Amino acid sequence: MTVFFTHPEFFKHEMGPHHPESAERLWAIQDHLTRKGLLALLDTREAEPASDASIQRVHSAQHLENLSALAPSDRPYRAIDADTAMNSHTLRAAYLACGAAIEAVDLVLTGQARNAFCAVRPPGHHAEREQAMGFCFINNIAAAAAHALEIHGLNRVAIIDFDVHHGNGTETIFANDDRVLMVSTFERSIYPYSGEAPLGRNMLNIPLDAYTNGAPMRDAVQRQWIPALQKFKPELILISAGFDAHREDDMSHLLWSDQDYVWLSQQIVSLAQATCKGRIVSSLEGGYAVHALARSVGHHLDALLCA
Ligand SMILES: [Zn+2]
């Protein structure tokens, strides 16, 4: 059984007119999954908000206080940085997005679901312990990993991040925490301009050159990710699933195809079956060309459903 987390509040968070990280992304995913008959195969659930305690495993109390203070009640939007803003729904959506990943971990680790995909907004992987940035406010996957380690007592959690942007937030939160192995690919020298030199011995960062297709990614996955993950023997695999390396997505210069997302998702599912009883929790990060995003999520869910 593959669980699919959603919530109406994810559609209400907006960062301004014409912002690429828009509710249209989730509408496109939902329409595509409906059209393909995939939604009917999924166990769809509404997220519950994460508790402050579960968020504070990876963020400071001050960070949550700052977000509460910044949430606008007197204007439509409040800017956090040049491209990140809050509206009156943002904070609740962020708590729900984090809560989805945490509940997905509970379902997968207790055997109530084989795997799960969280179709959430806002995304999380750029959010650092003290800093909202890059469309992210709360680091959903980091909080899910901390929950698996602290509450379920796991010893080894793998985080796979294939968003085209480096997952700086997750890296800074878990650098040199040997209970976590983070493997990632991202386009070098684009936002957030980090990742070239890993911050910790438990970080396997693969920067990819602009204008390359899926071949260097496939090579890195086969030669570097898979051996490292097999050696680490994760008890759970978490995925920061960004689909913005797609050739149709102008947020980056990588040229991955639909077929690359099929291949990558199947590789991860096979690895999970070999190492951790197929336990995967995947959470949406980027992906801004809405049709390519919707198709890619469909391919990703095909792989999860076949697990
Ligand atoms: Zn991204």
Side-chain angles (χ1 to χ4, degrees):
M1 180 69 79
T2 296
V3 167
F4 181 82
F5 272 103
T6 182
H7 195 285
E9 208 72 19
F10 296 150
F11 295 78
K12 297 182 186 168
H13 156 60
E14 289 291 359
M15 296 194 282
H18 313 299
H19 196 292
E21 205 292 272
S22 70
E24 184 55 30
R25 300 174 60 229
L26 296 186
W27 288 118
I29 290 171
Q30 202 162 284
D31 285 353
H32 179 78
L33 298 182
T34 305
R35 208 159 47 234
K36 288 282 172 186
L38 283 168
L39 212 50
L41 304 176
L42 297 163
D43 177 2
T44 300
R45 304 201 183 199
E46 272 197 12
E48 299 281 340
S51 66
D52 283 346
S54 59
I55 298 171
Q56 284 174 23
R57 292 191 189 104
V58 295
H59 292 284
S60 66
Q62 186 64 49
H63 177 67
L64 291 184
E65 282 172 33
N66 291 346
L67 289 180
S68 293
L70 287 165
S73 53
D74 57 340
R75 63 183 90 177
Y77 305 103
R78 189 184 307 270
I80 303 288
D81 63 29
D83 48 27
T84 308
M86 299 178 78
N87 73 358
S88 60
H89 299 280
T90 300
L91 193 57
R92 175 144 172 90
Y95 270 71
L96 288 161
C98 187
I102 287 171
E103 193 179 342
V105 166
D106 287 339
L107 293 172
V108 167
L109 289 182
T110 57
Q112 295 175 74
R114 177 175 289 270
N115 52 43
F117 182 76
C118 306
V120 301
R121 301 178 55 245
H125 74 151
H126 293 307
E128 299 187 349
R129 194 170 286 276
E130 307 278 352
Q131 187 64 50
M133 59 184 279
F135 314 165
C136 303
F137 302 88
I138 293 170
N139 196 314
N140 309 320
I141 279 294
H147 178 78
L149 294 166
E150 305 296 335
I151 300 302
H152 291 277
L154 297 196
N155 297 308
R156 294 177 309 283
V157 174
I159 298 175
I160 294 176
D161 187 331
F162 58 75
D163 190 276
V164 82
H165 303 97
H166 172 238
N168 60 294
T170 317
E171 181 174 49
T172 56
I173 288 166
F174 289 119
N176 293 319
D177 182 336
D178 289 324
R179 300 172 302 170
V180 172
L181 173 65
M182 180 176 178
V183 303
S184 64
T185 51
F186 50 88
E187 183 180 334
R188 71 163 31 98
S189 305
I190 62 167
Y191 187 89
Y193 309 102
S194 54
E196 191 82 29
L199 294 182
R201 58 184 175 269
N202 60 329
M203 297 289 151
L204 179 50
N205 298 4
I206 315 278
L208 299 169
D209 290 324
Y211 307 108
T212 54
N213 62 16
M217 174 275 287
R218 293 188 189 211
D219 191 61
V221 168
Q222 281 176 319
R223 288 170 192 263
Q224 299 186 68
W225 280 15
I226 291 178
L229 288 160
Q230 282 172 334
K231 188 169 169 218
F232 181 67
K233 296 189 174 60
E235 296 161 291
L236 171 70
I237 292 177
L238 304 177
I239 306 176
S240 269
F243 299 89
D244 38 8
H246 198 286
R247 58 175 65 241
E248 291 173 27
D249 200 309
D250 58 13
M251 197 69 91
S252 80
H253 315 93
L254 293 193
L255 303 169
W256 296 9
S257 64
D258 282 35
Q259 206 52 41
D260 289 316
Y261 288 104
V262 171
W263 181 87
L264 180 56
S265 300
Q266 288 173 345
Q267 292 291 316
I268 297 170
V269 165
S270 297
L271 186 81
Q273 284 167 335
T275 58
C276 57
K277 303 176 192 157
R279 295 158 160 181
I280 295 173
V281 170
S282 181
S283 188
L284 181 63
E285 300 284 0
Y288 305 96
V290 295
H291 299 297
L293 167 68
R295 295 195 313 272
S296 303
V297 169
H299 299 316
H300 189 60
L301 281 166
D302 271 335
L304 293 179
L305 280 162
C306 287

